[in-house]
Amino acid sequence: MVEKKEVKAVKAKARTIRTSPRKLNLVAESIRGLAVGRALSELSFSNRRVAGDVKKVLMSAIANAENNHNLDVDRLYVAEAYVGKAMVMKRFRPMAKGRAGKVLKPFSNLTIVVREHDQHEEKV
């Protein structure tokens, strides 16, 4: 019987990032499933403002994997990157004829999970 080595998943979270979940998910979608080196370069050259925040969270996940779980950085990949809603600041803008327009300022939560490749996955 072959024993399976448990592959550790290492997380890093960022809470209350000042952007909408929809915009943040576009950046998170671009790094899902990539090797961490490739994901970092993807975020470095992204034109989106929020890519800098995503890069910080990814670097934190890599540091957690290396320092807390003794995983090999060269074999890490982004297993999951998901986005959730946080609070929404509600503001009002004065409009014509004494009216007010509602302004919503959404915040998001980001979670990035990195894992180490198995020996079986590397050969494929």
Side-chain angles (χ1 to χ4, degrees):
M1 190 167 181
V2 178
E3 289 184 30
K4 279 191 173 181
K5 181 184 173 188
E6 185 179 326
V7 179
K8 293 181 184 175
V10 182
K11 286 184 185 181
K13 293 181 183 181
R15 294 170 56 175
T16 63
I17 296 174
R18 181 60 190 89
T19 187
S20 72
R22 189 171 177 178
K23 290 177 184 176
L24 183 57
N25 193 43
L26 290 172
V27 178
E29 198 175 86
S30 70
I31 63 166
R32 280 186 201 127
L34 295 180
V36 291
R38 173 71 195 248
L40 285 171
S41 64
E42 183 88 22
L43 293 170
S44 296
F45 294 106
S46 175
N47 289 329
R48 299 208 170 252
R49 177 189 59 83
V50 76
D53 293 330
V54 177
K55 186 177 176 183
K56 273 186 185 179
V57 178
L58 179 58
M59 288 173 66
S60 176
I62 294 167
N64 290 343
E66 184 178 15
N67 297 320
N68 301 344
H69 299 281
N70 298 324
L71 298 179
D72 184 16
V73 178
D74 297 329
R75 294 177 53 201
L76 291 177
Y77 70 101
V78 181
E80 300 172 33
Y82 52 91
V83 177
K85 287 174 71 172
M87 68 177 177
V88 177
M89 286 196 306
K90 296 170 182 83
R91 300 290 183 260
F92 289 96
R93 183 165 191 263
M95 305 294 275
K97 298 184 180 179
R99 296 183 181 142
K102 187 191 277 190
V103 177
L104 300 176
K105 298 186 175 190
F107 286 76
S108 307
N109 296 329
L110 174 67
T111 304
I112 294 181
V113 179
V114 294
R115 286 198 179 99
E116 200 173 38
H117 278 294
D118 296 359
Q119 281 87 14
H120 303 295
E121 289 181 28
E122 276 190 55
K123 292 177 185 176
V124 176

